[in-house]
Amino acid sequence: MKFNDAQKKAVTHIKGPMMVLAGPGSGKTTVITGRTCNLIKQGISASSILVVTFTKAASREMKERYLRLMNLHTSQVTFGTFHGVFYGILRHTYQFSGQNILSEDLKMKLLRELVDTYCQDTEDENDLLENISREISSVKDGRMDISHYYSKCLPEEVFRKIYTEYKSWMNHNRKLDFDDIMVWTYELFCRRPDILQLWQNKFQYILIDEFQDINPIQYDIIRMLAAPLNNLFIVGDDDQSIYRFRGARPEIMLNFPEDYPDTHQVNLDTNYRSTGEIVKKSGTLIRENDKRFSKKLQTCREDGDHIDIHIFENDRSEVKYMIDDIREYLKSGKDYRDIAVLFRTNTGSRKSVEQLMAYNIPFQMRDGLPNLYEHWIAKDVMTYLNLSAGSRKRSDFLRISNKPNRYLARKSFIDSEVSFESLYQQYEERQWMWERIEKLEHDLKVLKPMTPFGAINYIRYGIGYEEYLKEYASYRRIRAEELYEILNELQDTTRGFDHVEDWYRHIENYTEKLKRQNKDRKNKADGVTVSTLHSIKGLEYDNVYILDVNEGMIPYKKAILPEDLEEERRMFYVGMTRAKNKLHLFAVRKRRDKKEELSRFLLEIAPKLS
């Protein structure tokens, strides 16, 4: 193996702590496997080496590369994820088996039961379950007192009941979730120094990949495990720390030299992936962050093409230009797999996905694209439209009868088919209820002849559906604007359709194609990659498009605090540095006829745009 000077310094390091700052495309995997091989060549026992990664795929890749380099078939070096390694320690101590690990399916089933018990009717149950699961992880990994934790997704007392019941069920059934693996290992090492010493003697050389993604409890365990020798070799890039929502804390890496004052530091400062222009412009961007290690990447490549920064009148022209550019690029003999189309959120990719489908350009999605038309808000809107077209199904009435609140009791809808006459009869002694029923009946008549666009407008403002969303958002502790955005997106899809039936046919066609796409995505190796910035980390492509580089999207509108904005900048940096030769940064002046601002990040790269 050939190494540059910085890589050689890292690979030949033997004793004591070392921090390797590995910028994009600088060969961090090469360094980790190279150092592992070198330790063994220096006479260190392979069985005393531990290589920790964050994913099974990364662990497998490291192991396979190591075996090839050493010309071996089996490895005495331990390669594993944090969860895998720590579970092995618990299994050895407590004789756990796979039966003790709570599967993700069972976890969601249990949380769903608890939500049904303690929450009001929730429309976005899947989102809520995901948020509750994430908050449970935060409490456990942060070793917080639940009585002092303030939930971001539910009223405190509701979240605390769910958390307490969840923990109680886990203890009673002797089950561990992934967070418990960390907590139990930490507690075991604190309680049993004799067991800790056994594992310290076993793992005398510890190498950690993607160290910028570590969370506090993982770090505390690793620190105990590495002591007293502290042969701790960490590799990562603080500029690519983008997982705070999962508990990662970039400040752990920033503070590493303070925790280990005798740390040797190496900067892998040569990017072998990208052209000089991409390296320079991405460097200009990331230097705007305050909390980072100062570093300067260079490249051994030519400057290459200028970054294609393009400002479009609206998002329709943005997507059309991208599709035309992709088709031209493919004519030059390139493969679909050389192209990546990147967004801040997966819902932002809907327009592009529709056009890729329309032009029969194969694509694969790193994240499954949720179908906008299957969102509960879309279902509410369509239910109103179905009722206006003559449906009298009980299920339809139950779905929208109190959106907004009309004080219609569930028991009012007795039959499978509901008539307004029966509703009037049930409330004949309450005149004030008649007014609400009359208003509903009138609203449905008004909706019937409208275009889909006009109908959604009337549902939002004439019927008062937005007011209902505002109340729902308040209970769920989310911003009402997030729900309005779904309505905006839905209404945008109706443009160009004069009749609801035509819009429904479009929805049916899109849904069918999307189902096929989501089903096939794991098997498709050849296709344009469509991904969020979060999911693209670690990958590289010849030609990269980043769309919607506007304020509110990149950086995302939820990013208010300075640390949030720094992470958003890191995310954009990650996206830019996926490109090897061609990088396109697109923004729009208008979206849905509303003026859009260019992203501050775009202006940092190209100040002349302002």
Side-chain angles (χ1 to χ4, degrees), residues 378-579:
K379 288 180 179 177
D380 285 352
V381 167
M382 288 185 218
T383 300
Y384 268 114
L385 296 178
N386 293 342
L387 286 167
S388 74
S391 167
R392 291 297 177 262
K393 288 181 185 173
R394 177 176 183 268
S395 57
D396 283 350
F397 273 101
L398 286 174
R399 180 167 196 99
I400 57 85
S401 60
N402 288 305
K403 298 176 181 179
N405 195 358
R406 300 180 178 94
Y407 301 95
L408 287 163
R410 191 178 182 86
K411 62 184 180 184
S412 309
F413 307 99
I414 304 162
D415 303 319
S416 58
E417 293 285 315
V418 177
S419 70
F420 275 98
E421 289 75 17
S422 69
L423 282 177
Y424 286 124
Q425 284 170 12
Q426 290 187 63
Y427 289 97
E428 60 186 348
E429 293 178 10
R430 281 178 274 179
Q431 193 62 40
W432 60 276
M433 282 298 295
W434 272 43
E435 292 170 12
R436 285 168 167 73
I437 298 166
E438 281 171 357
K439 173 77 165 66
L440 175 59
E441 191 174 17
H442 169 74
D443 286 338
L444 296 178
K445 284 175 183 170
V446 171
L447 282 175
K448 188 172 183 180
M450 286 184 162
T451 64
F453 188 91
I456 293 179
N457 230 37
Y458 187 76
I459 291 166
R460 295 175 78 158
Y461 307 113
I463 291 177
Y465 186 70
E466 277 208 6
E467 202 53 42
Y468 158 73
L469 290 182
K470 188 177 177 182
E471 290 171 12
Y472 182 78
S474 175
Y475 172 74
R476 275 282 284 106
R477 299 197 168 185
I478 52 181
R479 293 165 70 246
E481 287 73 23
E482 290 178 42
L483 303 182
Y484 298 161
E485 188 59 31
I486 301 293
L487 273 174
N488 292 339
E489 184 79 8
L490 187 70
Q491 195 165 7
D492 198 42
T493 69
T494 65
R495 293 177 189 275
F497 296 102
D498 293 330
H499 303 288
V500 169
E501 295 76 15
D502 297 334
W503 185 50
Y504 276 6
R505 272 193 289 275
H506 163 75
I507 291 170
E508 194 177 334
N509 185 38
Y510 174 78
T511 299
E512 187 54 43
K513 284 183 176 177
L514 190 63
K515 274 182 185 167
R516 278 204 304 271
Q517 172 61 35
N518 281 338
K519 188 177 177 184
D520 296 345
R521 72 188 174 101
K522 289 182 181 174
N523 306 321
K524 276 191 181 178
D526 193 21
V528 172
T529 295
V530 180
S531 175
T532 61
L533 295 174
H534 273 121
S535 296
I536 206 70
K537 194 158 88 70
L539 303 175
E540 58 182 46
Y541 299 87
D542 183 68
N543 188 11
V544 171
Y545 300 82
I546 306 180
L547 276 70
D548 302 332
V549 190
N550 291 90
E551 286 293 308
M553 192 55 77
I554 301 175
Y556 198 51
K557 56 197 164 198
K558 286 186 185 176
I560 308 293
L561 301 172
E563 56 264 35
D564 297 330
L565 285 166
E566 293 219 341
E567 177 150 294
E568 292 288 320
R569 191 177 279 106
R570 291 195 294 268
M571 218 177 298
F572 189 44
Y573 175 74
V574 165
M576 290 180 71
T577 54
R578 299 312 94 200

Side-chain angles (χ1 to χ4, degrees), residues 134-150:
R134 194 174 291 150
E135 290 201 18
I136 287 172
S137 294
S138 296
V139 172
K140 288 184 177 183
D141 293 345
R143 286 154 283 167
M144 300 180 200
D145 182 339
I146 186 62
S147 62
H148 296 151
Y149 180 76
Y150 293 93

Side-chain angles (χ1 to χ4, degrees), residues 302-351:
E302 299 290 325
D303 274 358
D305 294 341
H306 284 295
I307 293 174
D308 174 26
I309 298 177
H310 223 102
I311 316 300
F312 298 91
E313 193 55 37
N314 55 48
D315 49 353
R316 284 183 291 284
S317 52
E318 175 189 41
V319 172
K320 184 181 184 310
Y321 179 94
M322 180 195 73
I323 293 290
D324 291 344
D325 200 68
I326 286 174
R327 294 172 81 196
E328 281 300 311
Y329 176 77
L330 292 169
K331 283 179 188 173
S332 67
K334 298 288 187 178
D335 288 332
Y336 296 114
R337 70 185 75 182
D338 293 329
I339 305 167
V341 179
L342 308 182
F343 298 87
R344 173 61 180 83
T345 65
N346 58 0
T347 50
S349 63
R350 182 193 58 79
K351 262 198 176 72

Side-chain angles (χ1 to χ4, degrees), residues 274-309:
S274 305
T275 63
E277 178 73 4
I278 293 168
V279 170
K280 273 188 274 190
K281 285 289 195 289
S282 60
T284 299
L285 171 85
I286 202 63
R287 279 194 290 277
E288 292 292 323
N289 272 1
D290 291 327
K291 293 181 179 175
R292 62 185 293 268
F293 288 113
S294 179
K295 59 185 92 69
K296 187 174 181 183
L297 274 177
Q298 58 190 16
T299 180
C300 52
R301 299 189 56 197
E302 299 290 325
D303 274 358
D305 294 341
H306 284 295
I307 293 174
D308 174 26
I309 298 177

Side-chain angles (χ1 to χ4, degrees), residues 125-138:
E125 187 175 62
N126 289 338
D127 285 347
L128 178 58
L129 292 175
E130 199 175 302
N131 288 334
I132 290 172
S133 175
R134 194 174 291 150
E135 290 201 18
I136 287 172
S137 294
S138 296

Side-chain angles (χ1 to χ4, degrees), residues 135-136 146 149 151 155-163:
E135 290 201 18
I136 287 172
I146 186 62
Y149 180 76
S151 172
E156 272 74 56
E157 66 279 4
V158 176
F159 178 78
R160 286 168 191 165
K161 281 177 186 171
I162 289 172
Y163 178 84

